Amino acid sequence: MVGGHYIRALMHALALLFATLFVAPIAQAAPAKVVPQEVCIRATQTAEDPFALLANPAAFDCARGQVGVAAPYTWALVSGLSLDTNPQDPWELRHEYSQADSETLFVRYADGRMARAPSDRMTARRLFSPGMMSFALPADPGKIAAVLIRAESIRNQRGVAPGVEFKTGRAALEGDLIVLLLYGVLAGVIGALLIYNFALYTVLRYDFILCYCLSAVAMLFMGLCWSGGIFLLLPNLDTNEQISLTLLGTTIVLGTSVLFLNSFLERDRIPQLPMQLTMVAALVGIGSCVVRLIDGRFAWNMVDQISYWAITGILVGLIATAIGAYAKGSRAARVYLIAWSVPITLGIARSIWAMGLIGGVSTIVAMSPLIFLALEAVMSALAVSWRVGGLRTERDEARTKQVQLQHVADTDVLTGLLNRRAFIARALEARSGTSRDRLIIIDIDQFKLVNDRYGHQAGDDVLACVAHAIAAAAPPGAPVGRLGGEEFAVLVPAEPVDVLPEKLCRAVEAAVTPEGRSVTISVGVADGRIVDDASWRLVYYAADQALYRSKHGGRNRVSHAPRPLAA
């Protein structure tokens, strides 16, 4: 059923578009849009004869205005018209959404004839319009002089027929097509941002990105309701229920905006009282909209006032919270205020206007929900990008600092080599599984004599000189460390023929300190599989024993453990 309704609506739009583009244009002398200067009102307790009222304009009050007038039957008379009818391009009476159980139109022609308009509130619904209802007027030849609107059980917040205007079908279609294009662009932008940010959330897992995605979904729902697109999914939905769903969607958008702000700001910068009050306003607003959706007649004026004041409170609370966070030094709050000031101000103005506290109707006011959604979606996306960039920078700085701290913790201050703990950790990390490792233990010969004869500074210079020589002679990437005192170590894969130990001896022997001193080293070598702490101790003990033999064999030489060790 929904698919058939959609196809019929699409075919109707295509037919009107074809007529707009290819049917001979109407004479330019006839205006395509008429905005009446005056709307006169009458409120009655019973259903009076509409044709008798059309014939008696004096029965209407033209001075009191439309706002706030409510009765079982409320009448609005628009007279002083001169609308030349054309069966190929009939006139439509359009006005903004209003709440009433039913709405019927009657017309009086200049020659005195009267007729009932063929449309009612259900047929006046429009798909993807700028918040307007459109009633088709009779297309009988003649000149329409007056139109009478009868609204039953109206819940009057802003008027019986707010923003009333008359348009030809062609002019109305042209305007609606432009609005439809805007809706398409808006839905595409929000949809693309939603997909992108959800993909971003699956990778980064930042709460404020998820809140943005929820807000984007709420925006699409609110736009679908407000534009009339919801009628494609719910063809039997009336305009009163549509308005309630739109208001519910609006409060959900703002509720998710509160969650977004709460996760967007730095935790220690959020002022708790404004944030808590804003959350309460969001809950009150959503609750009042749910009540309105369940029973639109229940204390409707009070429920409407609660809903609109809650919306206003949420918007003001968002700004107040951001200002409070900015005062506490929040960088994110500054970006939020820059990005959201315009859409929030627009939202506050729209809410106050919807309550009837300010008058006037303009294209900007009528289209403000569309503008609000567009600004909110784009600005929030920019804020998300900025916040992600900031968090990435903070993460990179933290990682850099962590690497620097780890380097300091792993490095021997005097020689710049790995310290004992870091060297053993690297040896265990580099375990080669089934292949053997070769541990080379190095000890400076007669290092104690250097300290005793020339002092500890000379000893430090020797340590630094030997460390540099060993590191230069070792293979690239091989762990080289100072295990303590004058003892050093190098870890390499075990090879059948290895000249590295002798190369280390010659390299150290050739090295000279800044004071012109040189020393020699003794080396112990052991092969084995280092897979855990126990195997490390076993291989280290074997290499240390080989080093002992080098020391007692005359120094400045290399000794090997007698056989490879198993893990």
Side-chain angles (χ1 to χ4, degrees):
M1 178 179 293
V2 174
H5 183 82
Y6 172 75
I7 293 174
R8 289 194 299 273
L10 181 61
M11 294 299 295
H12 177 69
L14 291 175
L16 288 176
L17 178 61
F18 178 83
T20 300
L21 296 177
F22 300 108
V23 175
I26 304 172
Q28 295 299 316
K33 176 181 177 180
V34 174
V35 179
Q37 300 298 315
E38 185 178 65
V39 178
C40 303
I41 301 298
R42 178 179 176 83
T44 63
Q45 297 297 315
T46 59
E48 298 182 346
D49 183 0
F51 298 114
L53 291 175
L54 269 174
N56 183 24
F60 292 83
D61 186 348
C62 299
R64 67 182 300 179
Q66 298 187 58
V67 178
V69 180
Y73 296 89
T74 307
W75 310 78
L77 177 65
V78 183
S79 57
L81 301 174
S82 183
L83 307 178
D84 290 316
T85 60
N86 186 325
Q88 294 182 344
D89 192 20
W91 284 92
E92 297 180 0
L93 182 148
R94 296 164 66 93
H95 66 72
E96 297 167 17
Y97 291 146
S98 62
Q99 300 181 78
D101 288 352
S102 67
E103 192 168 342
T104 312
L105 274 62
F106 307 88
V107 301
R108 177 171 58 82
Y109 291 88
D111 59 8
R113 288 180 295 129
M114 299 184 187
R116 176 173 174 165
S119 59
D120 56 19
R121 285 182 69 88
M122 291 298 288
T123 58
R125 302 174 307 169
R126 285 295 178 266
L127 298 174
F128 304 109
S129 71
M132 302 288 285
M133 302 177 66
S134 188
F135 296 84
L137 298 182
D140 298 335
K143 189 184 294 290
I144 296 177
V147 176
L148 177 63
I149 304 169
R150 182 181 67 193
E152 298 182 23
S153 301
I154 189 170
R155 274 81 78 189
N156 191 347
Q157 192 75 267
R158 293 186 297 105
V160 180
V164 64
E165 63 182 20
F166 296 89
K167 280 188 175 182
T168 62
R170 177 175 177 172
L173 175 62
E174 291 174 351
D176 287 351
L177 287 177
I178 294 174
V179 173
L180 177 59
L181 176 62
L182 293 176
Y183 279 130
V185 172
L186 174 63
V189 170
I190 296 178
L193 291 173
L194 171 61
I195 294 172
Y196 169 76
N197 281 280
F198 184 75
L200 199 64
Y201 170 74
T202 60
V203 176
L204 300 179
R205 296 291 179 177
Y206 292 140
D207 289 344
F208 65 87
I209 301 179
L210 177 61
C211 292
Y212 174 82
C213 293
L214 295 175
S215 183
V217 172
M219 288 181 208
L220 292 174
F221 173 73
M222 182 251 189
L224 185 70
C225 295
W226 183 77
S227 67
I230 190 69
F231 297 135
L232 290 174
L233 302 177
L234 302 173
N236 295 323
L237 193 74
D238 63 36
T239 53
N240 296 328
E241 294 167 328
Q242 177 205 9
I243 294 171
S244 297
L245 283 174
T246 301
L247 203 56
L248 177 61
T250 302
T251 54
I252 293 176
V253 168
L254 295 178
T256 56
S257 299
V258 176
L259 297 178
F260 173 79
L261 179 62
N262 189 53
S263 57
F264 182 75
L265 300 177
E266 301 90 338
R267 288 292 180 187
D268 57 342
R269 299 289 190 271
I270 299 176
Q272 293 303 314
L273 181 59
M275 175 57 73
Q276 291 170 357
L277 292 176
T278 306
M279 289 182 174
V280 170
L283 293 175
V284 170
I286 293 174
S288 64
C289 291
V290 171
V291 171
R292 173 181 177 148
L293 187 62
I294 294 174
D295 186 356
R297 295 185 180 184
F298 174 75
W300 67 267
N301 192 33
M302 181 184 69
V303 174
D304 275 11
Q305 291 292 326
I306 291 175
S307 299
Y308 287 120
W309 278 115
I311 290 173
T312 304
I314 297 169
L315 293 168
V316 172
L318 290 172
I319 290 292
T321 302
I323 291 175
Y326 177 71
K328 297 175 70 173
S330 170
R331 294 176 57 201
R334 179 174 178 271
V335 174
Y336 185 89
L337 288 170
I338 294 174
W340 275 60
S341 293
V342 172
I344 286 180
T345 302
L346 186 62
I348 292 174
R350 170 75 186 197
S351 180
I352 294 175
W353 173 79
M355 287 187 284
L357 299 180
I358 57 176
V361 178
S362 67
T363 303
I364 294 179
V365 172
M367 295 295 293
S368 59
L370 180 64
I371 299 172
F372 176 83
L373 289 180
L375 288 175
E376 183 182 22
V378 173
M379 293 302 181
S380 295
L382 292 176
V384 166
S385 298
W386 176 87
R387 191 75 173 100
V388 169
L391 289 173
R392 185 183 296 114
T393 301
E394 293 174 5
R395 180 201 62 195
D396 292 343
E397 291 175 351
R399 285 181 176 176
T400 301
K401 185 176 294 185
Q402 182 180 9
V403 169
Q404 293 172 345
L405 292 174
Q406 189 65 46
H407 177 73
V408 171
D410 292 347
T411 303
D412 177 69
V413 178
L414 179 62
T415 63
L417 302 179
L418 295 174
N419 57 31
R420 184 182 183 90
R421 180 195 58 79
F423 181 84
I424 295 175
R426 286 284 301 275
L428 295 177
E429 290 173 3
R431 54 185 179 268
S432 52
T434 57
S435 61
R436 294 194 301 272
D437 300 300
R438 176 161 293 159
L439 180 63
I440 303 173
I441 301 296
I442 302 161
D443 190 87
I444 301 175
D445 295 332
Q446 297 181 333
F447 180 72
K448 186 174 183 302
L449 292 178
V450 175
N451 274 332
D452 293 344
R453 183 175 300 175
Y454 302 108
H456 288 286
Q457 182 59 53
D460 290 347
D461 292 341
V462 168
L463 288 172
C465 180
V466 170
H468 179 74
I470 293 173
V480 180
R482 181 187 177 196
L483 301 186
E486 66 271 24
E487 186 179 68
F488 299 85
V490 180
L491 183 69
V492 294
E495 299 291 345
V497 178
D498 188 7
V499 298
L500 178 59
E502 290 293 342
K503 181 181 177 182
L504 294 173
C505 286
R506 304 293 78 83
V508 172
E509 189 175 15
V512 180
T513 67
E515 293 80 11
R517 303 184 183 93
S518 61
V519 294
T520 61
I521 57 174
S522 296
V523 178
V525 181
D527 295 348
R529 291 196 298 271
I530 301 176
V531 296
D532 53 24
D533 188 63
S535 58
W536 155 260
R537 291 176 181 274
L538 186 64
V539 175
Y540 175 79
Y541 177 79
D544 190 55
Q545 290 299 308
L547 175 62
Y548 181 80
R549 289 194 296 274
S550 293
K551 287 287 188 181
H552 287 268
R555 300 186 179 88
N556 193 21
R557 64 185 60 212
V558 177
S559 297
H560 292 263
R563 58 184 176 80
L565 301 173

